Amino acid sequence: MLLSEIGDKEIIDLTKGSRHGSFWDAEMLFDEMTGRIKALLVPNLQGHSRFSAMRETMQLPWDSIVKIGEDIIIFRS
């Protein structure tokens, strides 16, 4: 799967049922030694406006991703 194919997918927390924006809103953290993705930094949109100047982020370990589907990326917090 290409990065361009997952960019518009919504990131959803399976445990809380919360939405964390699209993949394009996230940043990736890489392991410098292996080049593997360690985690995603995703916006924490709970209780804040999507356009708020103060955007909190949460670190989403790559191992917590349950499924990358057609329209969404599901993770378990």
Side-chain angles (χ1 to χ4, degrees):
M1 179 177 294
L2 300 174
L3 181 59
S4 61
E5 295 173 337
I6 62 173
D8 290 331
K9 295 181 188 295
E10 293 293 323
I11 301 172
I12 306 292
D13 184 346
L14 180 64
T15 305
K16 298 177 184 176
S18 57
R19 180 180 166 276
H20 294 275
S22 69
F23 190 79
W24 290 129
D25 297 330
E27 294 184 40
M28 287 188 253
L29 296 175
F30 292 92
D31 183 319
E32 294 177 11
M33 300 299 289
T34 64
R36 292 180 183 223
I37 301 171
K38 291 187 341 184
L40 296 176
L41 292 177
V42 296
N44 188 1
L45 301 176
Q46 291 181 339
H48 291 63
S49 165
R50 182 174 174 99
F51 302 103
S52 175
M54 280 189 58
R55 291 184 70 181
E56 296 179 19
T57 59
M58 63 183 282
Q59 188 167 332
L60 163 63
W62 188 253
D63 294 342
S64 68
I65 294 177
V66 176
K67 177 83 173 171
I68 299 178
E70 260 186 64
D71 298 324
I72 61 175
I73 298 171
I74 301 172
F75 74 96
R76 181 168 292 152
S77 62

